[in-house]
Amino acid sequence: VALRLAKEQQRHGVPQAAVLLVLAIVSALGANPSAAFELPKISSSSFVGNRRRHNNDPSSNSPTNVDFLRKKKRSTKLQCALLPSIVTKTASSISPPLRNSLFLGTAATIVYKNRHKFYPGSSPDPAFSEPLPDGSLGCPLIGNISFFTKMGDTETGAGKYYRYQAEKSGNPYIFKCSTLGKPFVIVNGMKNVKKVFNQEFKIVKTGMLSERLAKLFGKGNIMFITDPVRHQFLRRLVGQSMTPEAINSAMPALVRSASDQIDQLSLEKPMEMEKVLTQFTLDVAWRQILGLDLKDDETENFAEAVDDWIGGILNPFQTLLPGLRWRKAGKAFAYLVSKIERKLDDLEKNGPDGSTLSGMFFAKDEEDPTKSLTRDEMISNALLLILAGSETAASTLTVATLALGLNEDVWKKLKEEQITMLSKNEGKELTRDMLEKECPYLDAVIKETMRVKPFATTGAARFAQETFVVDGKQVPKGYAVGFNPYITHSLDPIVKEDDGSHMDVAKGYQPERWLDDETKPTEYMPFGVGPRFCLGYNLAMAEMKVFLALFACRVEFDMTNTTADNVEWKKVSLIPKPKDGSLITVSKLRESFRSGSSESHVLSAAGV
């Protein structure tokens, strides 16, 4: 404690009185009700001299060593060379319990008045009259312990820490906390979020915390680029691989992946949909995003590597502690990079193949055709798309399965819409336009799923490049800044219920609200906002719509164990997921639908 305080005093000007009083507390807290520690009266020079003599004479009994801090039996005298004699004499006349209480109270007062100095970088900007946001910074140099102890709960799922801090602050629209010792302001509500994050690269940009994550992505990742010109360049070229036209070309691959997984559903035993859907999105990842041709044993290795890699992203200690390359997450990262590098070599040799990675490899900048993505940029952004297209899409589909199983009327409407869409397009391949233009209820189901269970944390942290004011509160330069989609969605006045049921996957799940402008939610940001709006939006929506469309046409099911009254959630995930993985019992599985199948044959199999 003494060493830490001395360093803080030197670096941040903590008053010497605070240091001395905290040292006194260290002694006082160790004393019993009738005794106190005695610090011998010695000068600094005699201390050094005695220390040297003691070092030369092992038998020395100098008070600076063996008895430097000793407890006198039943003594109530306070002796300390660090304090004036009049203070020690006065304090000795007070009973130890009262004296210890006075020391503690005085030190606590001094620490409170100088609290910002114990939290480096947390002081308000004196040039602004607005106060800091409400909230707690937790322990000095560590931050909020609840970041580790309240990551999630079984009632609402992952992201409990941010909901807890919002409730504790009393103002969910803007509050402060501390993550790993760094002061952090969370901004919520679309008005506040847009005010800040539409000015990406001007008043906020990614920084230190994101650089740690870059160890598992690569430095060319579009999420971490802080130069606005380079960021726009990357969005243009990576975006060429995910235009509506590119997604439409990928539809046969998406249909094949979805059909393969639905074919694996069993009528004989309960099926954990999280596993089915994770396999579906991983299939999309290696087949469509990377353009790989994996055999059965290779798909298992690929799935395991992605799981270990995402586990490292979710665990903050993975990137904070040394030796990442030798742990599971680091090895998985190396494996995925090696797969992508070999595919890039193949594309260079054999030309384009229609995959998303191929689109990035052959993309040329419209403003300067001589410019293209570097190899590191292609690898980093392919990894980002795997994360967005596998973990987040699989989680959303898992929640959708649960919601459809708990809301029978919604499930019935979705099935009717999909069968009608198929009957109108007899003999045609399933296209993106069909799903976009002829399936408004399917779109509403996915949007409602992402409304009640969006991204649970804050995404990539930004850092204030200058002090600015939001909602009457100042955010000082250097503070980390983020937003929480769940809290923003929960604050929507159009859908808000006082009992919080509007965020319940059973009681508040109403896709119909998206079909009417008067009831359509206004606080909605599952894909982010501003210049960093999710670049994989088109691909994510396409793969989710394809799976649900085919699933609705082919499957009849019931929830195996879960009812509206006993839903439980996993505590740690990017997007909240049901604890049992959305366990379903399939009662009927109809014949597979493939692109180009005879429509009458498919409808006949569906009983139409």
Side-chain angles (χ1 to χ4, degrees):
V1 172
L3 286 172
R4 171 59 64 187
L5 286 172
K7 290 179 180 178
E8 292 302 311
Q9 178 187 0
Q10 183 179 20
R11 290 174 55 203
H12 303 292
V14 177
Q16 188 175 18
V19 178
L20 298 179
L21 281 167
V22 174
L23 287 174
I25 291 171
V26 174
S27 298
L29 292 178
N32 64 41
S34 60
F37 282 106
E38 175 185 318
L39 296 178
K41 292 182 178 180
I42 55 174
S43 67
S44 59
S45 58
S46 64
F47 172 78
V48 174
N50 287 335
R51 183 180 180 184
R52 288 172 178 167
R53 286 195 296 274
H54 173 80
N55 290 338
N56 293 330
D57 182 6
S59 65
S60 172
N61 291 321
S62 168
T64 62
N65 207 318
V66 178
D67 294 329
F68 181 74
L69 196 63
R70 63 189 177 87
K71 192 176 181 183
K72 275 197 170 183
K73 196 171 183 180
R74 308 299 295 175
S75 172
T76 60
K77 293 175 62 179
L78 178 68
Q79 298 183 25
C80 183
L82 298 175
L83 298 175
S85 59
I86 188 171
V87 174
T88 58
K89 288 180 181 178
T90 302
S92 295
S93 64
I94 305 174
S95 66
L98 178 58
R99 184 169 67 224
N100 295 344
S101 298
L102 288 173
F103 275 131
L104 183 61
T106 305
T109 301
I110 293 174
V111 170
Y112 176 77
K113 289 185 175 293
N114 294 274
R115 59 191 180 281
H116 294 300
K117 296 178 181 178
F118 288 92
Y119 298 88
S122 66
S123 299
D125 189 331
F128 286 73
S129 60
E130 292 81 3
L132 289 171
D134 296 327
S136 169
L137 295 179
C139 298
L141 309 175
I142 298 175
N144 300 108
I145 301 299
S146 55
F147 178 73
F148 302 100
T149 62
K150 295 183 182 294
M151 296 184 74
D153 61 19
T154 57
E155 292 183 3
T156 55
K160 173 67 175 177
Y161 167 71
Y162 299 99
R163 300 189 290 276
Y164 170 76
Q165 292 296 334
E167 182 180 358
K168 188 176 177 182
S169 74
N171 182 6
Y173 286 95
I174 180 169
F175 59 90
K176 72 175 183 291
C177 54
S178 179
T179 303
L180 302 176
K182 182 69 179 177
F184 210 132
V185 169
I186 308 298
V187 177
N188 296 305
M190 292 305 297
K191 180 180 178 181
N192 292 341
V193 171
K194 287 181 178 179
K195 181 176 181 179
V196 176
F197 295 94
N198 279 349
Q199 299 187 72
E200 184 89 38
F201 305 113
K202 296 178 182 177
I203 65 172
V204 294
K205 68 178 183 179
T206 55
M208 178 185 62
L209 296 180
S210 298
E211 289 173 1
R212 293 171 181 169
L213 280 177
K215 295 177 182 178
L216 288 174
F217 278 107
K219 294 183 179 180
N221 191 300
I222 193 171
M223 188 164 59
F224 305 136
I225 297 295
T226 57
D227 176 60
V229 175
R230 192 65 187 176
H231 180 263
Q232 285 299 316
F233 169 79
L234 288 177
R235 284 192 72 90
R236 287 197 302 271
L237 271 69
V238 175
Q240 288 182 30
S241 65
M242 286 175 291
T243 61
E245 294 75 20
I247 300 302
N248 202 49
S249 298
M251 288 294 289
L254 299 182
V255 169
R256 177 184 174 186
S257 295
S259 297
D260 285 348
Q261 295 309 313
I262 295 173
D263 287 343
Q264 301 303 314
L265 295 178
S266 173
L267 299 175
E268 300 176 356
K269 60 181 181 179
M271 302 296 298
E272 185 178 334
M273 286 305 294
E274 182 184 349
K275 291 183 178 179
V276 174
L277 292 162
T278 298
Q279 192 58 50
F280 161 61
T281 54
L282 285 175
D283 194 87
V284 172
W286 65 259
R287 192 193 304 272
Q288 175 55 40
I289 295 177
L290 300 184
L292 301 178
D293 183 18
L294 301 181
K295 308 304 179 185
D296 289 344
D297 58 333
E298 291 179 298
T299 60
E300 293 181 8
N301 293 335
F302 183 85
E304 183 178 350
V306 172
D307 187 58
D308 290 341
W309 173 63
I310 292 176
I313 294 171
L314 291 174
N315 185 347
F317 290 111
Q318 289 288 333
T319 53
L320 289 172
L321 298 176
L324 175 64
R325 70 174 65 179
W326 293 287
R327 294 195 295 276
K328 279 186 176 182
K331 292 179 180 178
F333 172 71
Y335 168 85
L336 294 173
V337 169
S338 68
K339 286 289 185 184
I340 298 172
E341 286 181 331
R342 283 198 288 270
K343 181 60 183 180
L344 292 175
D345 291 339
D346 179 73
L347 290 171
E348 185 175 13
K349 180 180 179 180
N350 299 314
D353 63 1
S355 66
T356 305
L357 184 61
S358 173
M360 285 191 274
F361 186 88
F362 294 101
K364 300 295 181 182
D365 189 10
E366 295 177 356
E367 297 181 6
D368 185 352
T370 64
K371 294 181 179 179
S372 59
L373 296 171
T374 67
R375 200 175 181 91
D376 285 343
E377 287 169 344
M378 285 184 270
I379 293 172
S380 296
N381 289 290
L383 288 170
L384 178 60
L385 292 176
I386 291 174
L387 176 65
S390 58
E391 170 66 19
T392 57
S395 297
T396 298
L397 286 171
T398 301
V399 176
T401 306
L402 172 65
L404 292 169
L406 296 177
N407 295 272
E408 191 174 338
D409 57 329
V410 175
W411 175 235
K412 183 178 179 181
K413 290 179 183 178
L414 180 63
K415 290 180 69 67
E416 290 175 351
E417 180 186 68
Q418 299 315 299
I419 291 173
T420 299
M421 181 268 292
L422 289 177
S423 66
K424 286 180 60 179
N425 296 281
E426 183 175 353
K428 297 180 181 178
E429 290 189 347
L430 186 63
T431 66
R432 181 175 180 271
D433 279 349
M434 291 179 194
L435 297 176
E436 291 293 318
K437 296 177 181 179
E438 301 177 35
C439 301
Y441 198 73
L442 172 62
D443 186 68
V445 164
I446 293 175
K447 286 181 177 178
E448 183 69 352
T449 302
M450 292 190 291
R451 183 190 69 79
V452 296
K453 292 298 176 186
F455 202 73
T457 63
T458 62
R462 276 72 153 183
F463 291 84
Q465 303 303 296
E466 59 186 55
T467 301
F468 56 87
V469 176
V470 181
D471 206 12
K473 307 291 185 181
Q474 67 159 283
V475 180
K477 179 180 179 180
Y479 261 62
V481 189
F483 55 76
N484 185 272
Y486 182 95
I487 297 176
T488 292
H489 291 187
S490 70
L491 295 171
D492 192 341
I494 299 294
V495 302
K496 187 175 176 61
E497 298 290 344
D498 292 338
D499 62 358
S501 60
H502 62 297
M503 299 300 289
D504 187 275
V505 75
K507 300 175 183 177
Y509 193 80
Q510 301 174 21
E512 292 79 9
R513 71 172 90 244
W514 292 93
L515 305 178
D516 189 330
D517 289 339
E518 293 186 1
T519 60
K520 185 180 296 184
T522 57
E523 302 284 307
Y524 184 69
M525 50 175 299
F527 292 100
V529 295
R532 294 193 185 276
F533 181 84
C534 179
L535 196 58
Y537 165 80
N538 285 329
L539 178 60
M541 289 297 291
E543 63 179 313
M544 289 191 288
K545 287 185 176 182
V546 165
F547 186 90
L548 286 181
L550 300 183
F551 186 74
C553 288
R554 296 187 56 197
V555 179
E556 295 287 353
F557 77 99
D558 295 294
M559 302 309 300
T560 304
N561 300 317
T562 307
T563 67
D565 298 322
N566 69 354
V567 178
E568 290 189 332
W569 301 90
K570 294 183 178 181
K571 295 182 178 181
V572 180
S573 59
L574 291 176
I575 290 175
K577 294 183 285 190
K579 190 175 181 179
D580 68 353
S582 192
L583 203 64
I584 70 169
T585 300
V586 178
S587 57
K588 186 178 292 186
L589 180 62
R590 300 185 176 95
E591 188 174 343
S592 176
F593 169 76
R594 303 279 181 171
S595 294
S597 296
S598 169
E599 190 58 39
S600 59
H601 186 67
V602 174
L603 294 177
S604 175
V608 179

Coordinates of all heavy atoms in Angstrom, one line a residue, residues 106-152:
T106 N -11.0 10.4 8.9 CA -10.2 11.5 8.4 C -9.6 11.1 7.0 O -9.7 11.9 6.1 CB -9.1 11.9 9.3 OG1 -9.7 12.2 10.6 CG2 -8.4 13.2 8.8
A107 N -9.0 9.9 7.0 CA -8.4 9.5 5.7 C -9.5 9.3 4.6 O -9.2 9.7 3.5 CB -7.7 8.2 6.0
A108 N -10.6 8.8 5.0 CA -11.7 8.6 4.0 C -12.1 9.9 3.4 O -12.4 10.1 2.2 CB -12.9 7.9 4.6
T109 N -12.2 11.0 4.3 CA -12.6 12.3 3.8 C -11.6 12.9 2.9 O -11.9 13.4 1.8 CB -12.8 13.2 5.0 OG1 -13.8 12.7 5.9 CG2 -13.2 14.6 4.6
I110 N -10.3 12.7 3.2 CA -9.2 13.2 2.3 C -9.2 12.5 1.0 O -9.1 13.1 -0.1 CB -7.9 13.1 3.0 CG1 -7.8 14.1 4.2 CG2 -6.7 13.4 2.1 CD1 -6.6 14.0 5.1
V111 N -9.4 11.2 1.1 CA -9.4 10.4 -0.1 C -10.6 10.8 -1.0 O -10.5 10.9 -2.2 CB -9.4 8.9 0.2 CG1 -9.7 8.1 -1.1 CG2 -8.1 8.4 0.8
Y112 N -11.8 11.0 -0.4 CA -12.9 11.3 -1.1 C -12.8 12.7 -1.9 O -13.1 12.8 -3.0 CB -14.2 11.4 -0.2 CG -15.4 11.9 -0.9 CD1 -16.1 11.0 -1.7 CD2 -15.9 13.2 -0.8 CE1 -17.3 11.4 -2.4 CE2 -17.0 13.6 -1.5 CZ -17.7 12.7 -2.3 OH -18.8 13.1 -2.9
K113 N -12.2 13.7 -1.1 CA -12.0 15.0 -1.7 C -11.0 14.9 -2.9 O -10.9 15.8 -3.7 CB -11.6 16.0 -0.7 CG -12.7 16.4 0.3 CD -12.3 17.4 1.3 CE -13.5 17.9 2.1 NZ -14.6 18.6 1.3
N114 N -10.1 14.0 -2.8 CA -9.1 13.8 -3.9 C -9.3 12.6 -4.7 O -8.3 12.0 -5.3 CB -7.7 13.8 -3.2 CG -7.3 15.1 -2.6 OD1 -6.8 16.0 -3.2 ND2 -7.6 15.2 -1.2
R115 N -10.5 12.1 -4.8 CA -10.8 10.8 -5.4 C -10.4 10.7 -6.8 O -10.0 9.7 -7.3 CB -12.3 10.5 -5.2 CG -13.3 11.5 -5.9 CD -14.7 11.2 -5.4 NE -15.7 12.1 -6.0 CZ -15.9 13.4 -5.5 NH1 -15.2 13.8 -4.5 NH2 -16.8 14.2 -6.1
H116 N -10.5 11.8 -7.6 CA -10.1 11.7 -9.0 C -8.6 11.4 -9.2 O -8.3 10.9 -10.2 CB -10.5 13.0 -9.7 CG -12.0 13.3 -9.8 ND1 -12.8 12.5 -10.4 CD2 -12.7 14.3 -9.2 CE1 -14.1 12.9 -10.3 NE2 -14.0 14.0 -9.6
K117 N -7.8 11.8 -8.2 CA -6.4 11.5 -8.3 C -6.1 10.0 -8.1 O -5.0 9.6 -8.4 CB -5.6 12.4 -7.3 CG -5.8 13.9 -7.6 CD -5.0 14.8 -6.6 CE -5.2 16.2 -7.0 NZ -4.6 17.1 -6.0
F118 N -7.0 9.3 -7.4 CA -6.8 7.9 -7.2 C -7.4 7.1 -8.4 O -7.3 5.9 -8.5 CB -7.5 7.4 -6.0 CG -6.8 7.9 -4.7 CD1 -7.2 9.1 -4.1 CD2 -5.8 7.1 -4.2 CE1 -6.5 9.5 -2.9 CE2 -5.1 7.5 -3.0 CZ -5.5 8.7 -2.4
Y119 N -8.0 7.8 -9.4 CA -8.5 7.2 -10.6 C -8.0 8.0 -11.8 O -8.6 8.9 -12.3 CB -10.1 7.3 -10.6 CG -10.7 6.6 -9.5 CD1 -11.0 7.2 -8.3 CD2 -11.1 5.2 -9.7 CE1 -11.6 6.5 -7.3 CE2 -11.8 4.5 -8.7 CZ -12.0 5.1 -7.5 OH -12.6 4.5 -6.4
P120 N -6.7 7.6 -12.2 CA -6.0 8.4 -13.3 C -6.9 8.6 -14.5 O -7.5 7.6 -15.0 CB -4.8 7.5 -13.6 CG -4.6 6.7 -12.3 CD -5.9 6.5 -11.7
G121 N -6.9 9.8 -15.0 CA -7.7 10.1 -16.2 C -9.1 10.3 -16.1 O -9.9 10.4 -17.1
S122 N -9.6 10.3 -14.8 CA -11.1 10.4 -14.6 C -11.6 11.8 -14.2 O -12.8 12.0 -14.1 CB -11.5 9.4 -13.5 OG -11.0 9.8 -12.2
S123 N -10.7 12.8 -14.0 CA -11.0 14.1 -13.6 C -11.9 14.8 -14.7 O -11.7 14.6 -15.9 CB -9.8 14.9 -13.3 OG -9.1 14.4 -12.2
P124 N -12.8 15.7 -14.2 CA -13.6 16.4 -15.2 C -12.8 17.5 -15.9 O -11.7 17.9 -15.3 CB -14.7 17.1 -14.3 CG -14.1 17.1 -12.9 CD -13.2 15.9 -12.8
D125 N -13.2 17.9 -17.0 CA -12.5 19.0 -17.7 C -12.9 20.3 -17.1 O -14.1 20.7 -17.1 CB -12.9 19.0 -19.2 CG -12.0 19.9 -20.0 OD1 -11.5 20.9 -19.5 OD2 -11.8 19.6 -21.2
P126 N -11.9 21.1 -16.5 CA -12.3 22.3 -15.8 C -12.8 23.4 -16.7 O -13.4 24.4 -16.3 CB -11.0 22.7 -15.1 CG -9.9 22.1 -15.9 CD -10.5 20.8 -16.4
A127 N -12.6 23.2 -18.0 CA -13.0 24.3 -19.0 C -14.5 24.1 -19.2 O -15.1 25.0 -19.9 CB -12.3 24.1 -20.3
F128 N -15.2 23.1 -18.7 CA -16.6 22.8 -19.0 C -17.3 22.9 -17.6 O -16.9 22.3 -16.6 CB -16.8 21.5 -19.6 CG -16.4 21.4 -21.1 CD1 -15.1 21.4 -21.5 CD2 -17.4 21.4 -22.1 CE1 -14.8 21.4 -22.8 CE2 -17.1 21.4 -23.4 CZ -15.8 21.4 -23.8
S129 N -18.5 23.6 -17.6 CA -19.2 23.7 -16.4 C -20.2 22.5 -16.2 O -20.6 22.2 -15.0 CB -20.1 24.9 -16.4 OG -21.0 24.9 -17.6
E130 N -20.4 21.7 -17.2 CA -21.3 20.6 -17.1 C -20.6 19.5 -16.2 O -19.4 19.3 -16.3 CB -21.6 20.0 -18.4 CG -22.5 20.8 -19.3 CD -21.7 21.9 -20.0 OE1 -20.5 21.9 -19.9 OE2 -22.3 22.7 -20.8
P131 N -21.4 18.8 -15.4 CA -20.8 17.7 -14.5 C -20.5 16.4 -15.3 O -21.0 16.3 -16.4 CB -22.0 17.5 -13.5 CG -23.2 17.8 -14.3 CD -22.9 18.9 -15.2
L132 N -19.8 15.6 -14.7 CA -19.6 14.2 -15.2 C -20.9 13.4 -15.1 O -21.7 13.7 -14.3 CB -18.5 13.5 -14.5 CG -17.0 14.0 -14.6 CD1 -16.1 13.3 -13.6 CD2 -16.5 13.7 -16.1
P133 N -21.0 12.4 -15.9 CA -22.2 11.5 -15.8 C -22.2 10.9 -14.4 O -21.1 10.7 -13.8 CB -22.0 10.5 -16.9 CG -21.1 11.2 -17.9 CD -20.2 12.0 -17.1
D134 N -23.4 10.5 -13.9 CA -23.5 9.8 -12.7 C -22.9 8.4 -12.9 O -22.9 7.9 -14.0 CB -24.9 9.7 -12.2 CG -25.5 11.1 -11.9 OD1 -24.7 12.0 -11.4 OD2 -26.7 11.4 -12.1
G135 N -22.6 7.7 -11.8 CA -22.1 6.4 -11.9 C -20.9 6.2 -11.0 O -20.3 7.1 -10.5
S136 N -20.5 4.9 -10.8 CA -19.3 4.6 -10.0 C -18.2 4.1 -10.8 O -18.3 3.4 -11.8 CB -19.8 3.4 -9.0 OG -18.6 2.9 -8.3
L137 N -16.9 4.5 -10.3 CA -15.7 4.0 -11.0 C -15.1 2.8 -10.3 O -14.0 2.3 -10.7 CB -14.7 5.2 -11.0 CG -15.1 6.4 -11.9 CD1 -14.0 7.4 -11.8 CD2 -15.3 6.0 -13.3
G138 N -15.8 2.3 -9.2 CA -15.3 1.1 -8.6 C -14.0 1.3 -7.8 O -13.7 2.4 -7.3
C139 N -13.1 0.3 -7.8 CA -11.9 0.3 -7.1 C -10.8 1.0 -7.9 O -10.7 1.0 -9.1 CB -11.4 -1.2 -6.9 SG -12.5 -2.2 -5.9
P140 N -10.0 1.8 -7.1 CA -8.9 2.5 -7.8 C -8.0 1.6 -8.6 O -7.7 0.5 -8.1 CB -8.1 3.2 -6.6 CG -9.1 3.3 -5.5 CD -10.0 2.1 -5.7
L141 N -7.6 2.0 -9.8 CA -6.7 1.3 -10.6 C -7.2 -0.1 -11.1 O -6.6 -0.7 -12.0 CB -5.3 1.0 -9.9 CG -4.7 2.3 -9.3 CD1 -3.4 1.8 -8.5 CD2 -4.3 3.3 -10.4
I142 N -8.4 -0.5 -10.7 CA -8.9 -1.8 -11.1 C -10.3 -1.6 -11.8 O -10.5 -2.2 -12.9 CB -9.2 -2.7 -9.9 CG1 -7.9 -3.0 -9.2 CG2 -9.9 -4.0 -10.3 CD1 -8.0 -3.8 -7.9
G143 N -11.1 -0.7 -11.3 CA -12.4 -0.5 -11.9 C -13.5 -1.2 -11.2 O -13.3 -1.7 -10.1
N144 N -14.6 -1.4 -11.9 CA -15.8 -2.0 -11.3 C -15.6 -3.5 -11.2 O -15.4 -4.2 -12.3 CB -17.0 -1.7 -12.1 CG -17.3 -0.2 -12.1 OD1 -17.2 0.5 -13.1 ND2 -17.8 0.3 -11.0
I145 N -15.6 -4.1 -10.0 CA -15.4 -5.5 -9.9 C -16.6 -6.2 -10.5 O -16.5 -7.4 -11.0 CB -15.4 -5.9 -8.4 CG1 -14.2 -5.2 -7.7 CG2 -15.2 -7.4 -8.2 CD1 -12.8 -5.5 -8.3
S146 N -17.8 -5.6 -10.6 CA -18.9 -6.2 -11.2 C -18.7 -6.5 -12.7 O -19.5 -7.3 -13.3 CB -20.2 -5.3 -11.0 OG -19.9 -4.0 -11.5
F147 N -17.7 -5.9 -13.3 CA -17.4 -6.2 -14.7 C -17.1 -7.7 -14.8 O -17.4 -8.4 -15.9 CB -16.2 -5.4 -15.2 CG -15.8 -5.7 -16.6 CD1 -16.5 -5.3 -17.7 CD2 -14.6 -6.5 -16.8 CE1 -16.1 -5.6 -19.0 CE2 -14.2 -6.8 -18.1 CZ -15.0 -6.3 -19.2
F148 N -16.6 -8.3 -13.7 CA -16.3 -9.8 -13.7 C -17.3 -10.6 -13.0 O -17.6 -11.7 -13.4 CB -14.9 -10.0 -13.0 CG -13.8 -9.2 -13.7 CD1 -13.3 -8.0 -13.1 CD2 -13.2 -9.7 -14.8 CE1 -12.3 -7.3 -13.7 CE2 -12.1 -9.0 -15.4 CZ -11.7 -7.8 -14.9
T149 N -18.0 -10.0 -12.0 CA -18.9 -10.8 -11.2 C -20.3 -10.7 -11.7 O -21.2 -11.5 -11.3 CB -18.9 -10.3 -9.7 OG1 -19.3 -8.9 -9.7 CG2 -17.5 -10.4 -9.1
K150 N -20.6 -9.7 -12.6 CA -22.0 -9.6 -13.1 C -22.0 -9.5 -14.6 O -22.7 -8.7 -15.2 CB -22.6 -8.3 -12.5 CG -22.9 -8.3 -11.0 CD -23.6 -7.0 -10.5 CE -23.7 -7.0 -9.0 NZ -24.7 -8.1 -8.6
M151 N -21.2 -10.4 -15.2 CA -21.2 -10.4 -16.7 C -22.5 -10.8 -17.3 O -22.9 -10.3 -18.4 CB -20.1 -11.3 -17.2 CG -18.7 -10.9 -16.8 SD -17.4 -12.0 -17.5 CE -17.4 -11.5 -19.2
G152 N -23.3 -11.6 -16.6 CA -24.6 -12.0 -17.1 C -25.4 -12.7 -16.0 O -24.9 -13.0 -14.9

